[in-house]
Amino acid sequence: VTYSESHGLAAPGGHYSHATSAGGLVFVSGQLPIARDGTKLSDQSFEKQALQTLANVSAALASAGSGIDDLVQVR
């Protein structure tokens, strides 16, 4: 199952989905420091960029019915 409409995420910049599930696992595409409205935070501090990126990962997981507490591996 592919999740193209994610909770609180900007539309993907390419032809991919934020999250896909298969075999009981959720796979999240690489997330960037981009706010829900599409604003790129590349000019912000590392801390703000990291927090936005982690919020995007959390939102992508939520769109698939999962969450940060269910993470098994992060690369």
Side-chain angles (χ1 to χ4, degrees):
V1 176
T2 300
Y3 305 92
S4 57
E5 294 297 322
S6 297
H7 298 69
L9 291 169
H15 54 278
Y16 65 91
S17 297
H18 289 295
T20 301
S21 65
L25 299 173
V26 177
F27 299 89
V28 177
S29 297
Q31 296 297 310
L32 298 170
I34 299 175
R36 180 179 193 164
D37 66 0
T39 303
K40 296 177 181 175
L41 304 181
S42 55
D43 61 341
Q44 299 294 315
S45 68
F46 174 80
E47 180 180 9
K48 286 185 181 182
Q49 290 184 51
L51 288 172
Q52 183 64 59
T53 300
L54 292 172
N56 292 347
V57 169
S58 181
L61 289 167
S63 75
S66 190
I68 296 287
D69 292 341
D70 297 318
L71 287 173
V72 175
Q73 184 180 56
V74 177
R75 297 183 203 186

